[in-house]
Amino acid sequence: MYLNLDYYFPEYFPITDPVLIFSLVLFIILLAPVILNRLKIPSIIGLILAGVAIGPNGFNILLRDQGIVLFGTVGLLYIMFLAGLEIDMNDFKKNRTKSLIFGGFTFAIPMVLGTVVSFFLLQFSLLSSVLLASMFASHTLLAYPIVSRLGVTKNRAVNITVGGTIITDTAALLVLAIITAATRGELGSEFWIRLCISLAIFSFIVLWGFPRFTRWFFKNYESEAISQYIFVLAMVFLAAFLAELAGIEPIIGAFMAGLALNRLIPHSSPLMNRIEFVGNALFIPFFLIGVGMLVDLRVLFRGPEALVVASAMIAVATSAKWLAAFISRKVFRFSKTEGQLMFGLSNAQAAATLAAVLVGYRLELLNENVLNGTIMMILVTCIISSFATEKAAVRQAMVESETAPDLSEIPERILVPIANADTMEQLIDLAVLVKNPKSIEPIYPLAIIKDDQQTKENLLQSTKLLEKAKHYAAATDTDVAVLTRVDSNIPNGIVRAVKDLMITEIVMGWSEKISTKDRIFGSVLDNILRKAGEMILVAKLVQPVSTIKQVKIAVPPRAEAEPGFIHWLNTVRTIAKQTSAPVTFYATEATNQRILSTFKEMKVNLTVKYNLFEDWEDFLILSRDVLDDDLFIIISARPGSVSHHSQLSNIHRQLSRYFQQHNFVVIYPEQHSQHLVDPRTSAAPAY
């Protein structure tokens, strides 16, 4: 009995019309997850099974032609790129030793177990056994979209597994290269020298050259959203191609590109949202469908030998990966759920496994039974990986939601007063950057219209500006609630909005000019500081926040005694984590010690330096340390507060004169209403 539809309808199947092919694949991407989610089956499995059904070994509706292969290759590289891009670099550095250990376990255990089973049970030669074992050692982060969707990519187990994946895949692919060279008689000193030199050149270009070139591009083409996305995609494929030239698999290059660009693409940025959206909506599903098209269920009925080989391969691959995850969990003292998460992510076999078996089959080191068994192993391990990861990730997400500290009973609400179209995007970017990723509250762009004869005209102009702000913020997948207030003066309108909406933070733009009226009656910022106790961030950004290299923070004495100390410190932590930038504090010994102890209580994983700085009369000395690509944060204080001193009143003049080409943010920590007093001196003008 034939399942192929071309046997009954040769004039219609397989489909060759490109429009119909693309339409069919899109409907599969749309409907397969919807249908199988009702059956509580992970969407990844649905796409793989759909590929089995429509592929040449199923109903033969579609061929696995160059188009499917191309989109599938892009999807695979996308998975590896996202894994490198979404990884928390601070956690990655902290856990690099554990990643090496797990990578060693998940490579060595399958290598040993696979070689023994292949040599003694399946009766293969030693060279073939080692090659087959290297297939068990490698794995593909096929289930990574699951942990990304459930929001546990920052978990230490996920972080370590991603790092370990690169270790084991690189080692497995090097074994493949060595066996290939040995089979061809090319394994000599020249091979090792060429491999080492090519890998060194590749690493230098990607890890040193890519970030600098990308930072230059982002600075010069800040407003070109489409160009930025195309540029990043080009960098990914260039890295993959360079990896291929260096003698390793392209997936390693894609992951390295993710690591190289990690600091330049904040996780909450519009660019990151575009990258994830296109990959998860199109390229990655194409890859999963393509994997399903490789599966041929008929191999199970081609005699006992094929079934024995397939069963042995599945058993060894699954048990070895489980054992590696189990031992690592015990060594690291992780929870059972985290151990299951490591197993789920590291069990799927696809990309490197497929590359190894095709090379081995071409070199006649592996026979047809192994080739067919590999396809079955890919299907089974992908199914196990998806179920195990989904189950563990759901549990871990529940654990993290229960244990996450509640920093405040009041929900985080950020107000962004907007009066200038030129600085609107910068202020929205900063608001998105400081916003807690777990907060469900929207950002509130606000336009204040003075109640005068031109109110109607100004209302029309402000509506256009707010719509532009809403459209821009929507690109970051951030909720926005635009506001318009008509008031007799701007400060009163802002303060009323703060009280009405229970705002917790205000993000404002910097203005260097001080009018005579401001000197007499106080600037907009002066009046807001006097009337509202919420934390205020006054920003001047001369380049995109994504290109920030380091965050440097000047903190006045006794800042730790302010009511808003924890709040602004948590904001600084959020900025540093979003940009993956190292942090340097300039403060007194007592303040530095308090910041250090607070970070320990928060269990913050950041690269932090503490420099002694006490003489605020010599504030300009910090200009030597602050570079063009740094973000300089000055923790100021309201007049009359514990940490306020006379030198803070002169900070705005010094910033305007000596830091014109720098990115800086002046933060006024929150104060309780009873601590607010009339300022005696003018603060930094803003708005």
Side-chain angles (χ1 to χ4, degrees):
M1 182 178 179
Y2 292 91
L3 291 177
N4 292 4
L5 293 180
D6 63 326
Y7 179 78
Y8 303 102
F9 309 102
E11 67 274 20
Y12 299 114
F13 299 100
I15 297 172
T16 56
D17 183 354
V19 176
L20 188 55
I21 290 173
F22 200 73
S23 299
L24 179 61
V25 172
L26 289 181
F27 274 109
I28 291 172
I29 294 173
L30 172 66
L31 297 176
V34 174
I35 295 172
L36 291 178
N37 280 342
R38 292 181 177 274
L39 303 176
K40 296 185 178 180
I41 298 175
S43 58
I44 286 178
I45 298 301
L47 292 170
I48 293 175
L49 293 178
V52 175
I54 68 171
N57 300 313
F59 293 107
N60 200 26
I61 298 174
L62 297 180
L63 293 175
R64 194 173 186 272
D65 57 14
Q66 289 299 316
I68 300 293
V69 172
L70 173 62
F71 275 87
T73 302
V74 175
L76 174 59
L77 296 179
Y78 229 100
I79 289 176
M80 299 305 296
F81 173 62
L82 283 176
L85 196 62
E86 292 185 348
I87 197 170
D88 189 311
M89 292 303 294
N90 296 301
D91 288 339
F92 186 67
K93 289 180 179 178
K94 179 183 177 182
N95 296 316
R96 59 177 176 265
T97 302
K98 292 179 179 178
S99 292
L100 286 170
I101 293 173
F102 174 70
F105 282 145
T106 200
F107 173 74
I109 294 174
M111 281 296 297
V112 173
L113 189 59
T115 302
V116 171
V117 171
S118 302
F119 187 76
F120 291 103
L121 179 62
L122 302 179
Q123 301 294 308
F124 289 143
S125 66
L126 181 60
L127 207 59
S128 298
S129 299
V130 173
L131 178 59
L132 187 56
S134 71
M135 293 163 48
F136 303 145
S138 67
H139 60 255
T140 301
L141 293 172
L142 183 128
Y144 187 82
I146 294 176
V147 298
S148 180
R149 171 171 52 84
L150 292 172
V152 293
T153 55
K154 305 295 184 184
N155 180 266
R156 57 184 180 176
V158 175
N159 205 296
I160 290 169
T161 305
V162 171
T165 298
I166 296 306
I167 303 299
T168 187
D169 279 3
T170 303
L173 293 169
L174 285 177
V175 170
L176 174 61
I178 293 169
I179 290 178
T180 302
T183 305
R184 295 172 177 171
E186 300 173 355
L187 190 61
S189 58
E190 183 181 347
F191 167 81
W192 293 107
I193 293 173
R194 184 174 65 250
L195 182 64
C196 292
I197 293 176
S198 61
L199 286 177
I201 294 174
F202 162 74
S203 301
F204 176 78
I205 292 174
V206 174
L207 297 179
W208 187 87
F210 274 34
R212 283 159 177 80
F213 184 37
T214 303
R215 182 175 283 107
W216 173 87
F217 186 88
F218 284 178
K219 282 183 180 179
N220 289 277
Y221 298 91
E222 179 182 357
S223 60
E224 300 292 333
I226 296 176
S227 297
Q228 287 186 354
Y229 174 76
I230 298 300
F231 175 83
V232 169
L233 208 59
M235 290 293 100
V236 174
F237 283 91
L238 178 59
F241 175 69
L242 292 176
E244 205 167 20
L245 289 181
I248 56 178
E249 282 295 306
I251 57 175
I252 306 299
F255 180 80
M256 296 288 278
L259 292 181
L261 303 184
N262 184 287
R263 296 184 185 278
L264 298 171
I265 306 177
H267 297 155
S268 59
S269 65
L271 180 57
M272 185 66 169
N273 188 52
R274 294 186 188 100
I275 291 171
E276 290 182 329
F277 174 79
V278 176
N280 292 326
L282 189 63
F283 293 131
I284 294 175
F286 255 99
F287 165 68
L288 297 171
I289 292 172
V291 169
M293 286 183 168
L294 292 170
V295 176
D296 186 1
L297 297 175
R298 292 172 295 187
V299 300
L300 299 175
F301 308 100
R302 292 179 180 171
E305 186 177 354
L307 191 58
V308 169
V309 171
S311 301
M313 292 176 67
I314 293 169
V316 171
T318 304
S319 60
K321 290 297 182 180
W322 180 86
L323 188 59
F326 178 78
I327 294 175
S328 298
R329 177 174 76 87
K330 292 295 185 181
V331 171
F332 303 149
R333 297 181 180 179
F334 283 179
S335 67
K336 185 178 179 180
T337 301
E338 288 175 313
Q340 292 173 345
L341 202 53
M342 295 174 74
F343 165 66
L345 285 171
S346 63
N347 186 56
Q349 308 282 331
T353 303
L354 196 58
V357 73
L358 291 176
V359 171
Y361 184 73
R362 189 167 59 247
L363 295 174
E364 298 183 352
L365 291 173
L366 302 175
N367 57 31
E368 189 177 9
N369 288 329
V370 176
L371 180 62
N372 293 326
T374 301
I375 302 303
M376 291 305 304
M377 180 179 69
I378 289 174
L379 175 63
V380 174
T381 56
C382 287
I383 291 175
I384 294 174
S385 173
S386 300
F387 275 109
T389 303
E390 178 103 14
K391 185 177 180 180
V394 168
R395 287 181 179 176
Q396 189 60 38
M398 293 174 64
V399 169
E400 291 182 1
S401 65
E402 291 172 358
T403 59
D406 184 12
L407 298 176
S408 174
E409 295 180 359
I410 301 176
E412 179 188 53
R413 291 177 179 170
I414 302 175
L415 185 72
V416 186
I418 296 174
N420 188 346
D422 294 334
T423 60
M424 179 271 296
E425 293 185 0
Q426 297 175 354
L427 295 179
I428 293 294
D429 282 341
L430 181 61
V432 172
L433 193 70
V434 303
K435 185 175 183 287
N436 188 330
K438 296 183 179 180
S439 174
I440 61 174
E441 294 292 330
I443 290 174
Y444 295 91
L446 169 67
I448 301 295
I449 309 300
K450 292 192 69 173
D451 191 5
D452 54 25
Q453 294 179 351
Q454 296 180 330
T455 299
K456 291 184 178 180
E457 291 82 355
N458 292 334
L459 271 173
L460 291 175
Q461 292 180 0
S462 67
T463 300
K464 293 179 181 178
L465 183 59
L466 289 176
E467 284 299 317
K468 185 178 179 182
K470 184 177 181 179
H471 177 74
Y472 182 78
T476 67
D477 201 23
T478 301
D479 291 333
V480 174
V482 296
L483 304 169
T484 302
R485 290 283 193 276
V486 178
D487 209 296
S488 57
N489 65 66
I490 292 173
N492 284 347
I494 295 175
V495 172
R496 287 194 178 116
V498 168
K499 293 179 179 178
D500 291 345
L501 298 169
M502 298 180 66
I503 295 296
T504 58
E505 291 137 68
I506 306 172
V507 176
M508 303 178 63
W510 174 270
S511 176
E512 298 179 1
K513 298 180 181 179
I514 307 176
S515 65
T516 303
K517 179 182 177 182
D518 289 340
R519 294 184 185 278
I520 298 174
F521 298 104
S523 67
V524 171
L525 178 60
D526 290 330
N527 285 282
I528 296 174
L529 288 172
R530 179 168 53 86
K531 297 176 180 179
E534 285 68 27
M535 185 172 73
I536 301 176
L537 294 86
V538 185
K540 178 185 178 181
L541 301 173
V542 297
Q543 67 187 63
V545 292
S546 61
T547 61
I548 298 300
K549 281 187 177 180
Q550 296 188 60
V551 178
K552 294 176 179 176
I553 308 163
V555 187
R558 300 184 300 279
E560 67 274 17
E562 297 281 5
F565 173 70
I566 298 297
H567 191 171
W568 72 253
L569 199 59
N570 193 59
T571 298
V572 167
R573 179 183 70 167
T574 302
I575 292 174
K577 286 187 74 68
Q578 291 282 12
T579 59
S580 297
V583 178
T584 303
F585 285 98
Y586 297 86
T588 63
E589 184 67 28
T591 303
N592 279 332
Q593 287 297 324
R594 178 63 186 278
I595 293 172
L596 176 62
S597 62
T598 304
F599 273 170
K600 285 183 177 179
E601 292 175 6
M602 292 180 176
K603 297 181 179 179
V604 172
N605 294 325
L606 296 175
T607 302
V608 185
K609 291 182 180 179
Y610 299 92
N611 291 342
L612 184 64
F613 179 68
E614 297 178 328
D615 188 5
W616 278 74
E617 292 184 0
D618 198 16
F619 174 78
L620 292 181
I621 198 173
L622 295 180
S623 63
R624 302 176 185 175
D625 290 358
V626 180
L627 305 178
D628 290 346
D629 290 328
D630 294 342
L631 176 61
F632 187 30
I633 298 178
I634 303 92
I635 307 301
S636 189
R638 288 170 169 81
S641 61
V642 175
S643 62
H644 185 268
H645 55 80
S646 59
Q647 296 303 318
L648 288 177
S649 301
N650 299 321
I651 290 298
H652 77 280
R653 295 185 181 89
Q654 294 173 322
L655 289 173
S656 297
R657 182 175 300 178
Y658 300 105
F659 292 84
Q660 292 182 357
Q661 302 304 317
H662 294 81
N663 308 282
F664 60 79
V665 177
V666 181
I667 297 180
Y668 293 87
E670 65 180 305
Q671 287 283 345
H672 300 317
S673 58
Q674 61 265 33
H675 294 151
L676 300 180
V677 298
D678 283 329
R680 297 297 180 186
T681 56
S682 178
Y687 195 77

